[in-house]
Amino acid sequence: MSMPLVWIELIVAGLLVVSGLLVLVAAIGFVRLQDFFLRMHPPALAYTLGSWCVAIAAALYFSYLEGRLALHPLLIPVVLAITVPVTTVLLARVSLFRQRAADADRSVATTVQPRTVTDADRHSG
Amino acid sequence: MSTILSGAITFALACYALASILVVSRLVRGPRAQDRVFALDLLYLHAMLVVMVLGVRHRSDYYFEIALLIALFGFVSSAAMAKFILRGEVIE
Amino acid sequence: MSLWQRCLPAPLLSVVLLVLWLLLARSTSAGQIVLGLAISVIVPILTAKLMPQNVRIARAGLAIRYGIRVLGEVVLSNLAVARGVLGGAAQRPSAGFVSIPLDLRDPVGLTVLAMVTTIVPGTVWSEIAADRSTLLLHVWDIGEEREFVSRFKTHYEQPLREIFE
């Protein structure tokens, strides 16, 4: 009775440690990387394997404690797999869109500049 | 509960706390609105993971509902904010 | 439209709802099964008008194999990105945008492709052309660009075309 519990607890402990490390690496990458699009990659570690490990650990632990199959923690990765792409793609589009808007502003500024120069020329002339 | 499991739980919670501090630094630093929204989304994820690990620590199944709710609220708020900064720029 | 189709407009959705209900109720008692069956019949009928199109999976076996391959790919990509983050600037691989010509036109297939590319840490779905002909993808480690594009098309896109078209 106590022997399997030890094994289950060992597996659960290992999964939790892996998840903690992955979430930490994701946060380090998120803070250290310079470019926004480069920064979008590491958080996916926490969204995928980091949360899968916790969900599998919880499913294993509660299955053992309650003596029956407890698969409901696995719903969390399913929910994340459906919701995370929506926010991530939206934010990627936000970034692209704002970058383009800024570029457009800059190109407008450069096209405006010669005109002001010619205006100034006309005033001076 | 064995000392190994409780140690692993403490380690995981410490990792989440450290990761949250790092993400908050990105939230404060920015530099742009989309970085801040992404950081808030990550903080929601960390909160959800903390709740799930606490469920294992307290051997209570009912933390799962809280975790599910945090995941759903996090999705709704992040999607709304992302949509807002997309639209806000359009109107401007 | 046959009676069968009218009562079960989306059989796949019904199955998913039943499983979801039983998982959330955490029991498989007769009462919960009856409740779950009632919900899985009523909800698809009520929401039938909201569905832009019904999901048809042509090859179920291939879909399962595709899912397993994506899971493996996610784990490998996790390790690659973690190595890149911890390795510092010297070990950071070539990242950048890749535009990929798409042959997949089915909206459901494209949705699944968007999910898969976002879930895999090494790639982020960034934008798709309005006519669905080109996809802009941000990739963590491109390597050889032409090789990456052909690998993406055979590994990710081609199975989805076979599953959904």
Side-chain angles (χ1 to χ4, degrees):
Chain A
M1 183 63 196
S2 76
M3 190 61 185
L5 180 61
V6 168
W7 281 109
I8 294 281
E9 289 199 337
L10 267 182
I11 297 169
V12 169
L15 285 170
L16 290 182
V17 167
V18 169
S19 150
L21 288 176
L22 278 169
V23 170
L24 197 55
V25 169
I28 290 171
F30 185 62
V31 172
R32 264 184 50 190
L33 295 176
Q34 294 306 316
D35 177 52
F36 175 76
F37 274 95
L38 216 51
R39 273 203 291 275
M40 292 192 89
H41 294 285
L45 263 66
Y47 286 130
T48 56
L49 210 53
S51 54
W52 293 0
C53 283
V54 173
I56 293 170
L60 260 179
Y61 196 64
F62 289 121
S63 295
Y64 185 80
L65 279 186
E66 292 166 19
R68 62 186 179 80
L69 213 54
L71 290 179
H72 57 270
L74 299 182
L75 280 178
I76 295 275
V78 175
V79 169
L80 282 182
I82 295 169
T83 59
V84 164
V86 178
T87 45
T88 310
V89 172
L90 261 178
L91 283 173
R93 292 209 55 204
V94 167
S95 189
L96 279 178
F97 188 83
R98 295 185 130 200
Q99 212 168 331
R100 271 178 212 146
D103 289 351
D105 279 352
R106 207 172 306 130
S107 64
V108 165
T110 51
T111 51
V112 163
Q113 212 160 17
R115 210 181 306 148
T116 55
V117 167
T118 53
D119 275 355
D121 287 345
R122 199 165 53 219
H123 276 294
S124 68
Chain B
M1 186 178 290
S2 68
T3 51
I4 293 175
L5 182 55
S6 67
I9 288 171
T10 311
F11 176 80
L13 290 176
C15 281
Y16 298 155
L18 199 55
S20 298
I21 291 170
L22 289 174
V23 169
V24 166
S25 81
R26 173 58 78 191
L27 178 70
V28 172
R29 196 149 42 119
R32 314 194 64 187
Q34 55 265 39
D35 288 294
R36 299 199 162 99
V37 175
F38 213 110
L40 274 177
D41 198 45
L42 262 178
L43 282 179
Y44 263 110
L45 180 86
H46 291 170
M48 191 204 78
L49 291 175
V50 165
V51 168
M52 284 193 80
V53 173
L54 281 179
V56 173
R57 162 164 265 174
H58 296 159
R59 297 192 171 194
S60 167
D61 215 1
Y62 289 93
Y63 282 79
F64 162 75
E65 261 84 6
I66 308 171
L68 203 60
L69 279 178
I70 292 176
L72 291 175
F73 276 111
F75 163 63
V76 172
S77 59
S78 306
M81 280 188 285
K83 201 80 187 164
F84 174 73
I85 56 177
L86 188 64
R87 286 285 171 81
E89 201 76 13
V90 173
I91 294 167
E92 195 189 352
Chain C
M1 190 187 277
S2 71
L3 184 69
W4 177 251
Q5 264 178 325
R6 204 171 303 165
C7 288
L8 276 179
L12 210 59
L13 179 64
S14 299
V15 172
V16 170
L17 279 174
L18 179 62
V19 171
L20 186 70
W21 179 264
L22 291 179
L23 277 179
L24 285 176
R26 292 173 205 163
S27 95
T28 44
S29 63
Q32 294 292 354
I33 291 177
V34 169
L35 264 177
L37 278 175
I39 283 169
S40 64
V41 170
I42 293 169
V43 169
I45 293 174
L46 290 180
T47 58
K49 289 221 165 61
L50 298 177
M51 302 272 176
Q53 105 188 70
N54 243 329
V55 181
R56 257 196 342 276
I57 291 181
R59 296 176 57 190
L62 184 65
I64 293 169
R65 254 182 297 146
Y66 185 71
I68 291 170
R69 188 203 290 161
V70 167
L71 290 188
E73 200 76 33
V74 167
V75 174
L76 289 181
S77 182
N78 263 286
L79 297 179
V81 173
R83 216 172 27 238
V85 167
L86 293 178
Q91 219 178 334
R92 189 151 308 137
S94 53
F97 286 104
V98 179
S99 65
I100 295 168
L102 283 181
D103 298 315
L104 184 68
R105 287 289 181 278
D106 183 58
V108 180
L110 283 171
T111 311
V112 175
L113 190 65
M115 264 181 72
V116 166
T117 50
T118 319
I119 282 298
V120 173
T123 51
V124 173
W125 171 289
S126 303
E127 201 166 42
I128 187 164
D131 60 349
R132 296 175 182 164
S133 61
T134 319
L135 161 68
L136 190 65
L137 205 65
H138 193 268
V139 186
W140 175 258
D141 185 7
I142 302 175
E144 186 68 35
E145 184 167 341
R146 186 172 310 197
E147 203 176 301
F148 177 84
V149 171
S150 73
R151 189 173 166 278
F152 181 88
K153 284 184 84 73
T154 53
H155 272 228
Y156 291 109
E157 191 192 354
Q158 191 54 38
L160 285 177
R161 289 189 71 190
E162 287 171 31
I163 292 169
F164 289 109
E165 285 181 353

